[in-house]
Amino acid sequence: MRDENCIFCKIANGEIPSSTVYEDDDFRVILDLGPASKGHSLILPKNHYRDICESDKAVSEKLFPLAARIGKAMKAGLGANGFNVVQNNGTCAGQTVFHLHVHVIPRYEGGPAMVAWEPGKTDPEELSQTAKKLKGAME
């Protein structure tokens, strides 16, 4: 299942050259062309899914273990002190290419602040109501 008009489908399936870090039957991991830090990688499924909500269970179950493997390699091979795993869904969440992909971004001591936010404030009643709405939507 591929989308002939999707640039990430073309990259994931080798039609467009990339700096490939890892490849198997389901994924190609490439270096991001606009990296947030040295070694910033993208995990691209070879099949087309618009976002994580459309992916199948088999692909979803492999994403986090693969991200961990890439992150460990960043620490061992690049001297990263940590890494972020980021997956955006929808325009308002920062998704710009509508093919499921996961960013694995190495972090270095003294590097720029990324993927950070100021914690908000809420009260127990609001948390309870929010949890109730989410539970209801998951049924």
Side-chain angles (χ1 to χ4, degrees):
M1 162 170 97
R2 296 184 186 146
D3 179 340
E4 296 302 320
N5 297 313
C6 175
I7 191 164
F8 278 5
C9 280
K10 292 177 182 180
I11 294 169
N13 290 287
E15 296 172 40
I16 295 175
S18 63
S19 295
T20 299
V21 173
Y22 172 84
E23 182 176 11
D24 64 22
D25 291 341
D26 299 311
F27 301 97
R28 182 182 297 256
V29 180
I30 65 168
L31 293 178
D32 194 303
L33 292 176
S37 65
K38 182 179 181 177
H40 178 167
S41 299
L42 298 177
I43 301 173
L44 307 175
K46 290 185 175 181
N47 284 325
H48 185 81
Y49 308 97
R50 180 177 172 80
D51 58 29
I52 199 167
C53 296
E54 289 189 1
S55 70
D56 65 31
K57 185 177 179 182
V59 166
S60 295
E61 288 175 344
K62 294 175 184 176
L63 281 171
F64 265 93
L66 181 53
R69 186 172 176 196
I70 299 302
K72 285 179 189 177
M74 291 170 168
K75 291 168 79 174
L78 300 176
N81 302 97
F83 59 94
N84 292 106
V85 177
V86 179
Q87 202 286 305
N88 303 320
N89 290 278
T91 304
C92 69
Q95 185 177 11
T96 58
V97 178
F98 293 90
H99 177 110
L100 171 63
H101 59 286
V102 174
H103 296 259
V104 185
I105 305 169
R107 301 297 300 271
Y108 303 95
E109 291 295 328
M114 321 178 223
V115 194
W117 60 87
E118 292 292 323
K121 294 183 182 191
T122 191
D123 61 65
E125 180 57 31
E126 183 179 357
L127 290 174
S128 177
Q129 291 301 315
T130 301
K132 184 176 179 180
K133 289 177 184 177
L134 288 172
K135 287 178 186 176
M138 293 174 66
E139 294 174 352

